[in-house]
Amino acid sequence: MSFLDSYFKYLRSAFVEHKYLLIFTILFAASCWIGTYFLADYIFTPYELADLAYLSQETQFSFLDMMVIIINNCYINVLSYIGAIFFCLGPVYDMTFNIGMSGIVSRATELACGDPFLFLKLTCLHGFFEDASTVLNSFAGFLLFYFIIKSIKDIFKPSQHLANGAITNSLEINKILLYQSLAVFVLGFLVMIFAGFLEEYISIPFGNMIANLF
């Protein structure tokens, strides 16, 4: 079996075997956006919300700017994934802050112009892929933490039929969880790179066009 075959095997199995965890991740991300949208008026003053309003955007179609965006966003992905080993704090913080901030800015933009959907219109293209990457990355982080917890638990299970030692046996039994986690992480990483390209070269003129049409 080739590397790509193995990769897609673990990627598919991650979505199939842990579909309820994926659904939970999606619902948590959605609740972050909705919750912060309605709480924005209580978190910030009207003056602070005015500063957060996102009313227009311009681009220079700069390769350097694109690389800065990609490096920054992918760095956050990596930190979030590694932070999952600390009781899933990385994924929870990433979704709460980054997706939650989208809800806050949407509310701030609505207060500034009266259109509750303007921020979503302006950022719809790259924003969709950024949020999808955040969800995938968080899902991968949850799987990583599940792998750690299950491996620790299995260390203390009787394993007389295996002869390599408790730690080695536990890792062997649960390694598929680690592979699934890494497969999803790589997908989220690639989606974030694509989102950075869209944000610099395509999303801004596309978003402006959508905002002008609707």
Side-chain angles (χ1 to χ4, degrees):
M1 183 178 293
S2 68
F3 173 80
L4 283 178
D5 289 336
S6 297
Y7 172 78
F8 286 113
K9 168 191 170 184
Y10 290 118
L11 187 64
R12 284 192 297 269
S13 65
F15 291 129
V16 172
E17 295 176 14
H18 308 287
K19 57 180 177 293
Y20 294 115
L21 181 58
L22 176 61
I23 292 172
F24 165 79
T25 308
I26 294 172
L27 291 177
F28 182 82
S31 68
C32 289
W33 193 97
I34 295 171
T36 54
Y37 175 86
F38 287 105
L39 290 173
D41 294 335
Y42 301 97
I43 299 173
F44 297 94
T45 67
Y47 296 104
E48 289 171 330
L49 286 174
D51 289 337
L52 291 172
Y54 195 86
L55 301 174
S56 64
Q57 51 185 5
E58 297 179 358
T59 181
Q60 302 299 322
F61 300 102
S62 167
F63 177 80
L64 179 60
D65 288 348
M66 181 191 74
M67 292 305 301
V68 170
I69 292 170
I70 290 174
I71 291 171
N72 177 70
N73 290 347
C74 289
Y75 177 68
I76 293 173
N77 269 22
V78 172
L79 287 182
S80 171
Y81 183 69
I82 295 174
I85 67 177
F86 302 105
F87 302 98
C88 295
L89 289 179
V92 170
Y93 177 82
D94 191 19
M95 286 191 288
T96 302
F97 182 80
N98 288 312
I99 295 182
M101 186 54 68
S102 294
I104 291 172
V105 177
S106 290
R107 175 56 179 161
T109 303
E110 176 187 8
L111 291 174
C113 70
D115 184 353
F117 302 109
L118 179 60
F119 175 72
L120 296 180
K121 294 174 188 175
L122 291 173
T123 61
C124 59
L125 192 58
H126 79 269
F128 170 80
F129 288 98
E130 277 191 7
D131 290 345
S133 174
T134 300
V135 169
L136 288 170
N137 195 66
S138 298
F139 177 48
F142 291 145
L143 287 176
L144 177 62
F145 184 69
Y146 182 38
F147 160 75
I148 294 171
I149 293 299
K150 198 167 184 304
S151 295
I152 293 174
K153 180 181 177 181
D154 287 346
I155 287 174
F156 300 99
K157 282 186 176 180
S159 54
Q160 295 88 342
H161 58 290
L162 297 172
N164 295 328
I167 295 178
T168 304
N169 293 338
S170 176
L171 293 176
E172 182 66 24
I173 292 169
N174 296 297
K175 65 181 182 182
I176 186 172
L177 276 171
L178 178 60
Y179 295 159
Q180 290 172 335
S181 172
L182 290 171
V184 177
F185 169 75
V186 169
L187 177 61
F189 198 85
L190 294 175
V191 171
M192 188 62 82
I193 292 174
F194 182 59
F197 166 77
L198 290 177
E199 182 173 357
E200 184 57 31
Y201 288 103
I202 300 176
S203 183
I204 292 178
F206 180 83
N208 287 332
M209 179 187 70
I210 295 297
N212 288 328
L213 289 175
F214 303 99

